[in-house]
């Protein structure tokens, strides 16, 4: 059985979660305190299977916080994944969406009540508070909260403890942890809604390139991937960045830049054999939705794998599907543990099935489980 460079016993990563729960966290602006002994996992052997801490360890901490990213790294993630949006003063910050009402306590700040508005986000009317309407200083007065409290009520205990981090703070954290853990912790940033931000005169890409350049991360050997659900911005970044790019796709719809340009192609077209060969002209990988790799049947169980992985590999692309989560509501029916959608199911089994389908890595909210499955599943 081949052992990975990052792998640790499940008990150790579980201990890290328990330790993290009781260690006081720095507030308001410091980095999270060290969170236990799981970092002893590091070794020096190369590991080809990529485990990405999706928005950090968001199964255990409110997503896109330094505490979430740190816990993912300590659990063994190869990369931590910040979704990037921008502030009014053009600072890249980590949030799942431009709308921040669902992931911060902004609604409880009367001084920002007038900022609530309705905007067209990729053609859909969205009402709330938007990152680009706040300066960084204003955004730093807010605190993060759990995005899906009905499913992850245990995460709500951390509501109000953490700030919204800047992209630079995420990079600084990855460097500190790389040194402390004795292994490189990569970053896997996503440009969120690039057409939307470009339409507002707040394009994300110049700040992204500038930040990577400033941190000496725009080079072939940097442990960085850059991802997007749109195509045109990746093609433009391909000319400016030396790090690998990843084309994200969805099981439905189309890249919004295609929609704006009147291009009739959809994500389904992007993941055909022909479409993937085009992706390979500007990207090194594809990040599909899980069900584009193995669709669900009428009973909600895993069906037969599609040709996506084989087609991508023939085109020279790696395949990193999203998102692997432990709760029953996110799992194929055969891996559910009960009728309660919030209960933890058999994520080990789901990951094993996708690894048999030939994927090269994955995005997960539960890094410890993915790490343990990689170790024990070989």
């Amino acid at each position: 059985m081949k052992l990975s460079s990052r792998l640790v016993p499940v008990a150790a990563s579980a201990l890290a979660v328990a330790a993290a729960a009781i260690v006081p966290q720095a507030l308001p602006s410091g980095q999270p305190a060290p969170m236990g002994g799981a970092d002893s996992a590091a070794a020096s052997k190369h590991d080809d299977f990529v485990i990405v801490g999706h928005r950090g360890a968001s199964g255990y901490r409110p997503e896109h916080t330094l505490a979430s990213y740190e816990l993912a790294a300590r659990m063994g993630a190869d990369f931590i994944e910040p979704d990037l949006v921008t502030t009014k003063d053009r600072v890249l910050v980590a949030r799942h969406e431009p709308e921040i009402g669902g992931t911060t306590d902004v609604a409880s700040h009367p001084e920002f009540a007038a900022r609530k508005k309705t905007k067209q986000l990729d053609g859909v009317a969205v009402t709330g508070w938007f990152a680009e309407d706040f300066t960084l200083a204003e955004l730093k007065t807010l605190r993060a909260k759990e995005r899906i409290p009905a499913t992850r009520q245990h995460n709500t205990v951390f509501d109000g403890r953490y700030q919204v981090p800047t992209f630079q703070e995420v990079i600084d954290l990855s460097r500190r942890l790389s040194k402390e853990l004795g292994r490189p912790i990569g970053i896997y940033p996503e440009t969120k809604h690039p057409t939307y931000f470009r339409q507002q005169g707040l394009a994300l890409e110049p700040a992204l390139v500038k930040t990577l350049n400033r941190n000496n991360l725009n080079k072939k050997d940097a442990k960085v991937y850059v991802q997007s659900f749109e195509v045109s911005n990746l093609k433009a970044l391909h000319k400016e960045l030396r790090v690998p790019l990843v084309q994200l796709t969805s099981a439905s719809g189309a890249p919004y830049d295609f929609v704006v340009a009147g291009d009739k192609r959809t994500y389904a077209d992007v993941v055909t054999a022909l479409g993937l060969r085009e992706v390979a002209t500007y990207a090194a990988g594809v990040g599909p939705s899980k069900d584009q790799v193995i669709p669900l049947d009428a009973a909600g169980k895993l069906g037969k794998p599609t040709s996506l992985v084989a087609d991508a590999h023939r085109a020279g692309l790696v395949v990193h599907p999203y998102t692997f989560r432990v709760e029953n509501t996110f799992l194929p029916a055969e891996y559910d543990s009960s009728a309660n959608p919030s209960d933890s199911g058999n994520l080990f089994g789901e990951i094993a099935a996708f690894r048999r389908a030939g994927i090269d890595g994955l995005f997960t909210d539960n890094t410890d489980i993915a790490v343990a499955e990689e170790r024990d599943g070989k």
Side-chain angles (χ1 to χ4, degrees), residues 236-274:
L237 286 169
H238 177 62
K239 300 175 182 178
E240 296 190 68
L241 294 181
R242 300 179 183 88
V243 301
L245 309 180
V246 172
Q247 179 66 65
L248 299 174
T249 64
S250 175
S252 62
Y256 189 63
D257 55 324
F258 281 11
V259 175
V260 171
D263 189 324
K264 300 301 182 183
R265 288 177 295 168
T266 66
Y267 285 121
D269 296 311
V270 173
V271 298
T272 62
L274 178 61

Side-chain angles (χ1 to χ4, degrees), residues 137-182:
E138 290 172 332
L139 208 60
K140 283 292 188 179
T141 67
L142 308 180
R143 295 294 178 268
K145 68 178 185 178
E146 173 57 37
R147 185 176 60 87
I148 48 174
T151 301
R152 292 175 172 166
Q153 193 279 333
H154 55 278
N155 279 6
T156 64
V157 69
F158 296 99
D159 286 358
R161 294 187 62 86
Y162 310 121
Q163 290 186 334
V164 174
T166 66
F167 184 34
Q168 184 61 56
E169 287 172 330
V170 177
I171 292 172
D172 292 343
L173 176 67
S174 72
R175 285 180 163 162
R176 176 173 69 81
L177 291 174
S178 296
K179 182 176 181 180
E180 180 180 340
L181 302 180

Side-chain angles (χ1 to χ4, degrees), residues 11-24:
S13 57
L15 182 61
V17 177
I22 61 174
V23 173

Side-chain angles (χ1 to χ4, degrees), residues 14-183:
L15 182 61
V17 177
I22 61 174
V23 173
Q25 302 293 320
L27 189 76
S29 60
Q31 292 173 325
M35 293 190 285
D39 49 2
S40 62
S44 59
K45 294 173 67 177
H46 181 71
D47 174 29
D48 291 325
F49 191 77
V50 173
I51 294 177
V52 184
H54 182 245
R55 310 173 195 171
S58 49
Y60 310 105
R61 297 290 183 275
E63 65 190 31
H64 294 309
T65 59
L66 293 183
S68 182
Y69 297 133
E70 178 161 356
L71 186 54
R74 291 189 181 279
M75 285 179 163
D78 298 298
F79 291 84
I80 52 178
E81 186 225 14
D83 293 340
L84 300 181
V85 301
T86 187
T87 65
K88 184 177 183 179
D89 45 351
R90 298 177 182 273
V91 179
L92 295 178
V93 295
R95 285 292 88 188
H96 174 51
E97 293 288 339
E99 200 287 307
I100 58 174
T103 59
T104 74
D105 62 357
V106 63
S108 66
H109 286 251
E111 68 272 26
F112 298 133
R115 305 275 179 100
K116 187 175 184 180
K117 60 185 66 173
T118 299
K119 295 189 178 187
Q120 291 293 317
L121 181 59
D122 291 3
V124 177
V126 175
T127 299
W129 291 263
F130 294 82
E132 68 272 14
D133 293 330
F134 292 78
T135 65
L136 178 62
E138 290 172 332
L139 208 60
K140 283 292 188 179
T141 67
L142 308 180
R143 295 294 178 268
K145 68 178 185 178
E146 173 57 37
R147 185 176 60 87
I148 48 174
T151 301
R152 292 175 172 166
Q153 193 279 333
H154 55 278
N155 279 6
T156 64
V157 69
F158 296 99
D159 286 358
R161 294 187 62 86
Y162 310 121
Q163 290 186 334
V164 174
T166 66
F167 184 34
Q168 184 61 56
E169 287 172 330
V170 177
I171 292 172
D172 292 343
L173 176 67
S174 72
R175 285 180 163 162
R176 176 173 69 81
L177 291 174
S178 296
K179 182 176 181 180
E180 180 180 340
L181 302 180
R183 61 183 179 84

Side-chain angles (χ1 to χ4, degrees), residues 206-240:
L208 171 62
V209 174
K210 182 179 179 180
T211 303
L212 293 178
N213 284 337
R214 183 175 66 241
N215 287 277
N216 195 30
L217 290 174
N218 187 8
K219 55 185 182 180
K220 289 183 178 180
D221 61 345
K223 195 162 185 177
V224 178
Y225 284 99
V226 172
Q227 54 178 328
S228 179
F229 276 102
E230 295 189 14
V231 176
S232 57
N233 77 318
L234 284 183
K235 288 185 173 181
L237 286 169
H238 177 62
K239 300 175 182 178
E240 296 190 68

